[in-house]
């Protein structure tokens, strides 16, 4: 069955640095890959979607890459701020495919 | 546009009881998905409804069921509650078309089974 792994449960970085989060998957060929942010006690919030035929997508300080050969996506937050502290979830699927989420990486940006 | 709403926000039930949770999607959205979130398992997909039909289903026992109404509002039902059903249940709506992409989540219903 499909499996999604996010590189670590927690990641601490210094304010101003670039945070890089990893999402690896197996036994699946998703047409879409999505990233969400979740704050404690709240539902996830959509950030970016990238299609299988796209290598990279950007939105303000966010950048996502999608390598279907490596079965991996990287999610970058440049010039990180304490307000970026949250749990970030990778999700596979969309379109007609069901959406399956990873367990998330908790990012802490230290001032 | 109003966001996704879920009712109730909090619920306490005892083992063996059943529960019904409600979700109102964003106006115009026709796809509604349900997820269970627990600290140990993360977000687990329950099912997705589109135009009153179940389009996708996760790996949950038959005690978990759902339905969608003609106005796209959705309900999920859990019968014969078990302690392990304690979780945050999230509903998400997506897209006015058949192709569902980004999902918009509600605040969730926190279910506690005692």
């Amino acid at each position: 069955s499909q499996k999604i792994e996010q590189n670590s449960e927690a990641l601490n970085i210094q304010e101003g640095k670039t945070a890089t989060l990893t999402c690896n998957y197996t036994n699946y060929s998703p047409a879409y890959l999505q990233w969400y942010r979740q704050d404690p006690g709240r539902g996830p919030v959509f950030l970016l979607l990238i299609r299988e035929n796209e290598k990279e997508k950007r939105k303000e300080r966010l950048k996502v890459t999608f390598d279907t050969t490596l079965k991996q996506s990287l999610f970058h937050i440049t010039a990180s701020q304490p307000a970026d502290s949250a749990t970030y979830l990778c999700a596979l699927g969309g379109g007609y495919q069901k959406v399956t989420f990873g367990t998330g990486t908790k990012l802490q940006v230290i001032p | 546009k109003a966001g996704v709403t879920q009712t109730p926000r909090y619920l306490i039930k005892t083992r063996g009881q059943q529960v019904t949770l409600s979700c109102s999607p964003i106006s115009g959205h026709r796809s509604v998905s349900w997820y269970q979130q627990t600290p140990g398992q993360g977000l687990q997909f329950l099912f997705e409804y589109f135009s009153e039909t179940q389009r996708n289903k996760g790996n949950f026992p038959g005690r978990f069921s759902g339905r969608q109404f003609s106005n796209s509002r959705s309900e999920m039902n859990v019968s014969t509650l078990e302690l392990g059903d304690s979780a945050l249940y999230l509903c998400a709506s997506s897209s006015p078309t058949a192709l569902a992409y980004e999902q918009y989540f509600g605040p969730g219903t926190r279910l506690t089974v005692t």
Side-chain angles (χ1 to χ4, degrees):
Chain A
S1 62
Q2 60 187 253
K3 190 176 176 183
I4 306 170
E5 286 184 349
Q6 295 195 237
N7 58 326
S8 57
E9 285 189 16
L11 182 66
N12 295 329
I13 64 162
Q14 210 68 33
E15 181 177 4
K17 300 291 186 185
T18 296
T20 298
L21 285 63
T22 305
C23 174
N24 293 295
Y25 60 93
T26 56
N27 299 326
Y28 196 36
S29 296
Y32 311 94
L33 191 146
Q34 308 182 38
W35 284 89
Y36 290 77
R37 168 187 173 137
Q38 187 173 24
D39 292 287
R42 309 188 77 158
V45 174
F46 171 78
L47 296 174
L48 280 168
L49 177 147
I50 186 165
R51 291 170 168 76
E52 60 180 340
N53 60 352
E54 297 177 312
K55 296 291 186 190
E56 181 181 298
K57 190 164 245 186
R58 292 174 186 261
K59 179 182 174 184
E60 297 172 355
R61 294 183 297 112
L62 309 180
K63 184 177 89 171
V64 170
T65 63
F66 190 11
D67 190 325
T68 55
T69 302
L70 290 178
K71 293 187 181 296
Q72 180 182 79
S73 174
L74 299 179
F75 176 78
H76 307 273
I77 305 175
T78 58
S80 58
Q81 305 164 0
D84 295 326
S85 298
T87 295
Y88 290 85
L89 302 164
C90 156
L92 307 183
Y96 293 109
Q97 297 175 324
K98 72 177 184 181
V99 179
T100 304
F101 283 81
T103 50
T105 296
K106 186 174 182 180
L107 174 68
Q108 184 77 29
V109 180
I110 303 162
Chain B
K1 252 186 189 177
V4 177
T5 59
Q6 292 186 246
T7 56
R9 292 293 312 279
Y10 303 92
L11 206 48
I12 300 174
K13 291 284 190 178
T14 56
R15 273 181 301 175
Q17 287 187 312
Q18 76 162 20
V19 67
T20 299
L21 311 182
S22 182
C23 171
S24 292
I26 290 172
S27 176
H29 282 189
R30 293 162 65 191
S31 166
V32 173
S33 297
W34 287 90
Y35 296 86
Q36 180 196 67
Q37 188 171 38
T38 58
Q41 298 294 318
L43 260 174
Q44 301 285 307
F45 175 78
L46 281 155
F47 28 66
E48 182 210 1
Y49 286 86
F50 179 82
S51 290
E52 302 178 65
T53 301
Q54 189 178 87
R55 184 160 70 172
N56 284 299
K57 190 177 188 307
N59 298 320
F60 277 80
R63 300 186 296 108
F64 292 82
S65 63
R67 59 178 176 168
Q68 187 180 34
F69 302 96
S70 57
N71 61 359
S72 293
R73 191 177 69 84
S74 178
E75 288 181 348
M76 68 162 280
N77 184 276
V78 189
S79 62
T80 320
L81 284 165
E82 299 176 0
L83 293 178
D85 296 333
S86 295
L88 180 67
Y89 289 88
L90 290 159
C91 156
S93 78
S94 178
S95 185
T97 71
L99 294 173
Y101 298 112
E102 61 265 29
Q103 305 205 31
Y104 297 86
F105 283 83
T109 294
R110 173 73 63 186
L111 172 64
T112 302
V113 182
T114 62

